[in-house]
Amino acid sequence: MEILKVNPLSPKDLEELGLSWHMDTDNTSYVSDEIIEVTEQEAQDYYNATNELYDMYIEAGQYVIDNRLFFELGIPFNLIEAIEMSWAEEVHWHLYGRFDLAGGIDGKPIKLLEFNADTPTMVYESAIIQWAMLKKNGFDESLQFNNLYEALGDNFKRMITLGDDISNFGAIYEGWKILFSSIQGSEEEENTVRLLEVIAKEAGFKTDFCYAHEAHLDESLGLSYAEENFEFWFKLIPWESIATDEPEMATLITAMIRNKNTIFLNPAYTLMFQSKRMLKILWDLFPNHTLLLETSFEPLANKKQVKKHAFGREGESVSILDNAGNALIVKEGNYGNYPEVYQEFVDLNTYNNSFYQANVFYAYEACALGFRKGGEILDNLSKFVSHKIK
């Protein structure tokens, strides 16, 4: 790996850019003072791999629905109907997701680790901070695989055109409105949602923001806030959290989808993609595919492997096991009640005893590369690392 040590963005720089969560709990900067150099071919390979993986997820999603494998994915029963309805109608448009990948540098093959399809973080960092890092250090800020901001704007328009041609967006747009919401109390989530609102507004939508508890959902009348109705609700609340923590909301949302008065972003069907148990379905459908790692619902025989759970974030409830199934590294967490999945272990890119994981955003197509740096299991103390193309 080729890594440049660069001048870091100061706390003032980051706050002026809207990144208020720039310090980790150990009092170190969340944004690394490094830039990873990748070749044009490596960037192209990340692009191609991510597009192919998304197509594979679409095929796997149809397989899950056709064979009713929701229980196998650990999906709560009270969202199954919402998933099926959102999958059946194209108006439920997948806005964006983020693939986590191993390899891709120094000739190492790209391997899928998981797909954060529902509520992916790192939008701000990928779209804004990487550009600022290059500019701060005198590099051409266009030398990145990174058009996330523009891709999101175009994909908002595709929610109306329902296709790759967005040139006629203005002709068919009827003033539909999007309400953006996050949970009160998280600056990171709120600023991420507010950035998405800015992008949607620039794309031409009428928008507003409120905290999730302030939005009014009605089975018959749809979504409203401050006496105004909205056709779309972007809510940065994981679907599985709605199912388990807010079952009445899950029932209400299902009724609203059935009555076709509100479209939810990201759609309910992204919960299938979000489940790490989908990795086993992919392996069944595409055995020995070069982008996949062997994955099973049962421990793998005689292989170093990673034990995960169907849902989880920030490396919680993840273990690395040796060939005999003994735990080498364990990260405790709050997701152990979800069913397990076992994925073949693969080395991450390494440099000076640190591990680097590639992250590629997908919004209609692969659109932005970034990296995270940390230990063998990346957790909430991992650092965001920018990149540039040589």
Side-chain angles (χ1 to χ4, degrees):
M1 291 182 69
E2 295 187 35
I3 296 183
L4 306 175
K5 274 286 187 180
V6 294
N7 294 318
L9 293 169
S10 68
K12 182 181 178 183
D13 292 333
L14 293 168
E15 287 165 12
E16 287 178 349
L17 290 165
L19 195 86
S20 55
W21 57 97
H22 53 77
M23 296 299 289
D24 279 328
T25 54
D26 61 357
N27 258 354
T28 60
S29 178
Y30 162 58
V31 179
S32 175
D33 60 349
E34 299 172 326
I35 293 177
I36 296 176
E37 287 198 308
V38 300
T39 66
E40 287 190 14
Q41 187 58 57
E42 288 168 339
Q44 185 66 45
D45 289 344
Y46 279 125
Y47 173 83
N48 292 340
T50 301
N51 289 335
E52 184 173 358
L53 285 167
Y54 193 82
D55 288 344
M56 292 160 66
Y57 264 91
I58 293 295
E59 187 171 334
Q62 189 64 60
Y63 180 82
V64 167
I65 286 177
D66 289 345
N67 293 278
R68 301 196 60 78
L69 300 177
F70 303 107
F71 176 79
E72 284 79 356
L73 295 187
I75 289 175
F77 73 93
N78 57 354
L79 280 179
I80 291 175
E81 185 183 358
I83 289 170
E84 291 176 319
M85 289 188 295
S86 65
W87 183 264
E89 296 191 27
E90 195 175 14
V91 294
H92 300 277
W93 197 258
H94 189 188
L95 184 59
Y96 74 117
R98 192 195 77 227
F99 285 91
D100 294 345
L101 306 167
I105 295 178
D106 296 336
K108 290 183 178 179
I110 295 171
K111 297 290 184 180
L112 171 66
L113 299 175
E114 54 195 55
F115 184 23
N116 300 279
D118 176 17
T119 56
T121 54
M122 291 172 50
V123 174
Y124 228 102
E125 299 89 316
S126 300
I128 305 295
I129 300 305
Q130 294 198 95
W131 165 82
M133 280 289 287
L134 293 195
K135 188 172 182 179
K136 169 99 175 182
N137 287 278
F139 296 116
D140 180 352
E141 55 263 32
S142 68
L143 290 177
Q144 289 185 349
F145 166 26
N146 184 12
N147 66 322
L148 177 57
Y149 196 102
E150 298 77 10
L152 284 167
D154 288 347
N155 222 17
F156 274 116
K157 294 178 181 179
R158 289 191 185 94
M159 297 190 313
I160 307 302
T161 66
L162 299 181
D164 55 1
D165 182 8
I166 57 175
S167 60
N168 64 337
F169 170 77
I172 64 175
Y173 174 62
E174 298 180 353
W176 289 335
K177 294 168 286 188
I178 310 174
L179 181 62
F180 288 83
S181 297
S182 67
I183 299 295
Q184 189 171 10
S186 170
E187 276 190 292
E188 178 179 359
E189 292 184 3
E190 180 175 339
N191 284 11
T192 296
V193 172
R194 289 186 181 274
L195 175 61
L196 291 168
E197 183 191 2
V198 168
I199 296 172
K201 188 174 292 185
E202 289 178 356
F205 285 87
K206 295 180 180 179
T207 69
D208 204 345
F209 173 90
C210 72
Y211 295 115
H213 70 274
E214 297 173 324
H216 182 70
L217 284 67
D218 186 278
E219 179 176 341
S220 301
L221 301 177
L223 173 69
S224 63
Y225 168 67
E227 299 184 354
E228 190 167 6
N229 294 324
F230 294 82
E231 289 78 19
F232 297 88
W233 191 31
F234 181 91
K235 49 40 161 209
L236 200 65
I237 312 170
W239 280 108
E240 72 272 15
S241 297
I242 292 175
T244 56
D245 301 337
E246 302 284 348
E248 291 182 0
M249 180 186 284
T251 300
L252 182 55
I253 286 175
T254 299
M256 294 167 73
I257 295 173
R258 188 187 307 117
N259 292 334
K260 300 185 178 182
N261 56 39
T262 309
I263 296 172
F264 297 87
L265 304 170
N266 275 309
Y269 67 72
T270 56
L271 184 57
M272 295 190 296
F273 298 168
Q274 185 76 29
S275 172
K276 295 174 178 59
R277 290 194 128 211
M278 187 63 116
L279 296 166
K280 192 264 186 185
I281 305 297
L282 289 171
W283 185 256
D284 289 345
L285 294 177
F286 307 99
N288 300 306
H289 192 286
T290 55
L291 294 173
L292 301 180
L293 297 163
E294 182 180 355
T295 311
S296 174
F297 294 157
E298 304 295 332
L300 300 172
N302 302 315
K303 283 192 176 181
K304 189 176 181 181
Q305 59 202 276
V306 179
K307 176 186 175 184
K308 309 178 183 182
H309 294 267
F311 302 104
R313 285 167 173 77
E314 297 185 327
E316 287 191 29
S317 306
V318 173
S319 303
I320 298 177
L321 312 179
D322 66 15
N323 291 16
N326 301 309
L328 300 173
I329 303 174
V330 177
K331 290 283 186 183
E332 301 294 343
N334 298 315
Y335 302 97
N337 289 333
Y338 290 111
E340 300 92 347
V341 63
Y342 297 84
Q343 184 183 51
E344 180 183 356
F345 177 86
V346 64
D347 288 314
L348 298 176
N349 300 308
T350 57
Y351 183 86
N352 281 352
N353 298 317
S354 290
F355 298 85
Y356 295 79
Q357 176 183 284
N359 311 109
V360 180
F361 274 93
Y362 184 95
Y364 191 71
E365 63 179 349
C367 57
L369 171 67
F371 290 87
R372 280 185 297 166
K373 168 188 176 182
E376 281 194 276
I377 299 175
L378 294 175
D379 56 22
N380 62 348
L381 293 179
S382 64
K383 309 300 183 186
F384 179 79
V385 186
S386 302
H387 80 283
K388 68 179 287 288
I389 296 174
K390 296 178 185 178

